[in-house]
Amino acid sequence: MGTWVTILTFVILLLSFIVMYLSVKHKSKKNNLLLLIGMFVAAFPLAYALYDDYKNEYIGANIGLGLAFLLTWGITGIILLVAMIKLIRARRS
């Protein structure tokens, strides 16, 4: 996959967590820390797969890298969907 896809994936993941942060009503240090840890946990599979691909330079198809992208995109989509729903509900009330 291209470098732009990787950068775009991380940017969208970051934006989804920013929207989640904006949708939280009670911003405390604990909630902020949990969101930050959640973001690192969500980005870790892709970051590790990219590091592994860089170090080993596989000749054939790298199924692990594709699955890491798919997992990260799925997590990003779920986080963004939940954040948007929470943000819309918070704006209505």
Side-chain angles (χ1 to χ4, degrees), residues 1 11 18 22 33 41 60-61 63 71 74 76 79-80 82-84 90-91 93:
M1 297 217 176
V11 167
I18 289 172
L22 294 174
L33 183 64
V41 167
I63 302 300
L71 176 66
T76 302
I79 293 293
L80 189 59
V82 168
M84 294 301 288
R91 301 284 174 166
S93 55

Side-chain angles (χ1 to χ4, degrees), residues 1 12 26 36 47 49 52 62 64 67 72 82 85:
M1 297 217 176
I12 292 173
H26 305 290
L36 187 63
D52 183 50
N62 189 347
L67 288 174
T72 305
V82 168
I85 290 171

